[in-house]
Amino acid sequence: MIEFPAIQTRLNAEEEQAILRVLREGKTWAAGPEGAAFEQEFAQFIGSEDAVALSNATAALETAAILTGLGPGDEVIIPAHTFVSSAVPFARTGATLKWADIDPKTRLISADTIAPLISARTRLLVIVHLYGLTADMDPILELAKQHGLVVVEDCAQAPGARYKGRRAGTLGDFGCFSFHSQKNITTLGEGGMLTVRDQETGRNARRLRWMGNWPFEGERAAYWKPAMGNIVEPAAGVWPHNFCLAEVNCAVGRLLIKRLDSINASRRRQAKRFHEALKAVPELVFQELPEGCEHVYHLMAARFDGGASNIQRDALIRLLFDKYEMKCIVQYWPLCRSELFGKFGLGAADVPETDRYFDNMISFPWWSEMGDELVDDLAGRVCAAMAELRKA
Ligand SMILES: Cc1ncc(COP(=O)(O)O)c(C=O)c1O
């Protein structure tokens, strides 16, 4: 059975050695030089003013939500079609979530789906570069500017992706990255990064990240007085968290960002081959790329438009699973339709394209460095299953 692997990119020998180096030679396994270097190198790679290593992308989204000072009475616009972590940190502040629909071609939030939801209470937009494709940011940033809105980019699925030459995570006020083992690159299972526009926000994020532990400023009579270190308020009115990432994770991350562009280029080659092979199946409609967007193909998903052939999406998934040993999945359950958001009174939404997409989408097994043979094999199974369904 071919199915989604729980690890998308395996480590090479050099990356394995980095783990051993930190274990054997590291002066610390937490909050040390690997973390500082990873942040600096990531900021340089992405092109952001600063970057703060955190335990995962959810922690990065939490940090962005907290530092923005959102609260009851504020409104946040967010796509209903995304992973749950994009939304919970903003809901937790007490702000009201307004669910935006997706564009039917890109399957991403757009200026057109955002604009009707803007009110005098809107404070923040969460832009999710889902599947590895950047949203069409220029018109979104123009709207944000007109209305004075904070823009948070959820780049969990789009590390290294570019929009008109700039990397995702440098376009809005905050960029939130994931290095979970199912992402394009991983820092050993868990990991995340927050990119920010200025050093002060970066400093506040670092103060928030480790329970407000922070050095005293200026000279002191003795290093242990009044205490070894200070405990500070990360930003006005903000309680701190523990969102730290360990040294061994950061050491691996430093090496993986050097490989990220080549991993993404190989995913793009895979995608091109897969799309070519599936031209024979017009029922599968893949994402369209707006001008200037570079995809990093975190996932390979299509909408199944079976109308003309009268074939149902579920029949294809079932046949692929039962006979062709290929386990496709359906994602993401529109958050407004989920139990969690319903319980908190956030179930109301007018998102017809989100519903249509979820009810008709199919996501194929996909990971880094699959190789031409395997990509052809997967496409061949889909073509064979469709031929069988057409005859039935
Ligand atoms: C779009 C999106 N946002 C956020 C996250 C959360 O990432 P993490 O697991 O690093 O917290 C994910 C993870 O799947 C995701 O897909």
Side-chain angles (χ1 to χ4, degrees), residues 55-59 61 82-86 128-131 154-157 176-180 182-183 189-192 298 332:
S55 46
N56 47 52
T58 309
L61 288 150
T82 184
F83 184 70
V84 57
S85 291
S86 310
V128 188
H129 304 308
L130 207 64
Y131 302 109
D154 181 339
C155 310
Q157 299 192 0
C176 305
F177 293 83
S178 172
F179 309 124
H180 183 273
Q182 278 173 340
K183 296 297 186 295
E190 291 280 350
H298 170 60
Y332 290 90

Side-chain angles (χ1 to χ4, degrees), residues 69-95:
L70 287 176
D74 293 330
E75 290 179 2
V76 169
I77 299 176
I78 181 163
H81 179 62
T82 184
F83 184 70
V84 57
S85 291
S86 310
V88 168
F90 302 93
R92 202 195 305 280
T93 65

Side-chain angles (χ1 to χ4, degrees), residues 299-332:
L299 295 169
M300 177 49 65
R303 189 179 62 229
F304 188 80
D305 287 346
S309 53
N310 208 21
I311 298 170
Q312 303 300 314
R313 183 261 326 246
D314 290 354
L316 175 62
I317 295 180
R318 190 165 292 122
L319 186 62
L320 283 171
F321 183 71
D322 288 347
K323 181 168 171 188
Y324 290 91
E325 306 237 313
M326 184 169 169
K327 189 174 182 185
C328 296
I329 61 173
V330 171
Q331 59 199 154
Y332 290 90

Side-chain angles (χ1 to χ4, degrees), residues 155-172:
C155 310
Q157 299 192 0
R162 287 192 180 88
Y163 176 75
K164 299 189 178 169
R166 288 171 63 188
R167 305 256 193 201
T170 63
L171 304 156

